Amino acid sequence: RPVEILNWDAHADVRPRTGGLGHSGSPFREAAEHPSGALRRYTVAGLHPWRVAGAHAAFASGLGRVVWRDELTPEAVDALAAGLTAPAMVTFDLDAVDGAAGVSAPGVGGMPVALWLRAADACGRSAATSFDVVELSPPHDADGRTSTLAALTVWHILRGIAAR
């Protein structure tokens, strides 16, 4: 089925395969290049400009929309969620959150937790039909804070779905 994807992430995740194999940085390029042609639109929001190659940002822009971290306001988050049309998948990559240490690619300068959870709630209320929360790395999550964030993200998604 044709599908729209909204990816909340610090990275575009549209890198080419390596040696013909997919990896954590290639899933949305793989979706875009799938022989079915089922990807209707790809939006990536929360990108850290210092963590995204220009070629990857350009590739992602050609699939839909790129929204940089500094462009995200509560209103922009709400508009991204409200603009989804079913079927739509929303993926929440925890490395987009400022200071999330328990991820495979920790960084700083990302989305504040309150804005992240607002996105989860807004997407739950949207026309999205599929969700995931990714990149939690328990070995790097010494104090369990990122695991708690992952659980809260799911809770906010479900809270949004319940409000539909």
Side-chain angles (χ1 to χ4, degrees):
R1 283 186 341 177
V3 67
E4 173 179 357
I5 298 173
L6 171 56
N7 177 25
W8 299 95
D9 200 340
H11 311 94
D13 287 352
V14 294
R15 290 183 294 167
R17 291 177 178 211
T18 302
L21 300 174
H23 50 84
S24 66
S26 68
F28 302 111
R29 178 177 291 261
E30 292 180 63
E33 294 176 345
H34 193 271
S36 68
L39 182 63
R40 285 193 333 250
R41 180 172 59 177
Y42 173 63
T43 301
V44 58
L47 289 174
H48 301 181
W50 57 94
R51 299 177 91 178
V52 179
H56 299 157
F59 184 86
S61 290
L63 301 175
R65 186 168 175 206
V66 166
V67 183
W68 301 98
R69 163 54 197 108
D70 62 356
E71 296 175 297
L72 288 177
T73 62
E75 297 77 20
V77 164
D78 292 346
L80 286 167
L84 291 169
T85 57
M89 173 192 176
V90 181
T91 180
F92 291 88
D93 187 327
L94 293 162
D95 68 19
V97 180
D98 188 38
V103 297
S104 58
V108 295
M111 292 176 67
V113 170
L115 191 60
W116 175 262
L117 296 176
R118 181 183 187 118
D121 185 82
C123 288
R125 294 170 188 269
S126 76
T129 52
S130 176
F131 301 89
D132 70 3
V133 179
V134 299
E135 299 261 351
L136 177 64
S137 178
H140 296 103
D141 193 21
D143 63 3
R145 208 177 315 193
T146 309
S147 296
T148 299
L149 176 62
L152 280 170
T153 304
V154 172
W155 186 80
H156 277 80
I157 292 167
L158 292 173
R159 187 172 89 164
I161 291 170
R164 288 184 185 181

